[in-house]
Amino acid sequence: MTSEVLDRYREAIERKAEAEKTLIDCRARVAIIEKEIELSGKASDTPAKSSTERFIDDNRDKLDPDDIEFLSERHRGAKEVGRYSGISESTLKRMADDGTLEVRRTDSGHRRYRTLSVVQYLITGRDEQDV
């Protein structure tokens, strides 16, 4: 091999090494930026928790597995709520009318009780009203 060929080969190897070093530097910068974003809370792979999920997390020590199962649906009918809570349907209606429990109406006018509202009442509302 001539010295000219060796010089070109050496230059090619040096350029390749420089390109690989630049690539490593770029990957390191990207990893640092991703970690900064993750730590700052600006980007999250997990979706925001619903009010029900936050309630379960905050009150896990007060909840039974039955409570968590009841909360698995957002709204339930009066019979289900009555069986779960021990509150009569007529009392549930009064509580909905006075705003103690959150409800929505179906197209046919039936009340559907918000499960989170019911469980919150059972945990906190009774205690506060009995005092």
Side-chain angles (χ1 to χ4, degrees):
M1 286 182 142
T2 65
S3 65
E4 184 180 314
V5 172
L6 286 174
D7 288 341
R8 280 191 275 160
Y9 182 70
R10 183 177 295 122
E11 287 175 21
I13 290 175
E14 288 173 354
R15 281 194 305 265
K16 181 180 178 189
E18 189 63 34
E20 289 175 353
K21 181 185 176 301
T22 302
L23 179 62
I24 290 169
D25 290 344
C26 288
R27 286 181 178 160
R29 277 190 232 123
V30 167
I32 290 168
I33 291 169
E34 286 174 345
K35 188 52 113 174
E36 287 173 347
I37 290 170
E38 178 186 331
L39 294 175
S40 71
K42 291 181 181 175
S44 176
D45 292 337
T46 58
K49 287 187 175 184
S50 70
S51 56
T52 301
E53 291 169 324
R54 287 191 307 272
F55 178 80
I56 290 171
D57 287 347
D58 293 344
N59 296 283
R60 193 166 296 279
D61 59 325
K62 299 175 188 173
L63 299 173
D64 294 328
D66 290 343
D67 300 324
I68 295 172
E69 166 60 27
F70 183 75
L71 288 165
S72 67
E73 290 188 34
R74 190 176 170 118
H75 293 89
R76 294 190 186 250
K79 286 184 182 178
E80 280 184 283
V81 173
R83 276 194 304 268
Y84 165 76
S85 66
I87 301 171
S88 70
E89 288 185 47
S90 59
T91 301
L92 287 171
K93 288 178 186 176
R94 277 195 306 277
M95 293 171 75
D97 291 342
D98 72 14
T100 302
L101 296 178
E102 294 176 49
V103 295
R104 69 171 174 83
R105 296 281 187 150
T106 63
D107 291 340
S108 58
H110 296 281
R111 290 176 181 88
R112 299 285 293 169
Y113 295 85
R114 185 166 184 230
T115 56
L116 180 58
S117 174
V118 173
V119 175
Q120 283 175 327
Y121 170 76
L122 293 174
I123 289 177
T124 60
R126 280 188 177 171
D127 295 337
E128 293 170 6
Q129 291 182 1
D130 291 344
V131 174

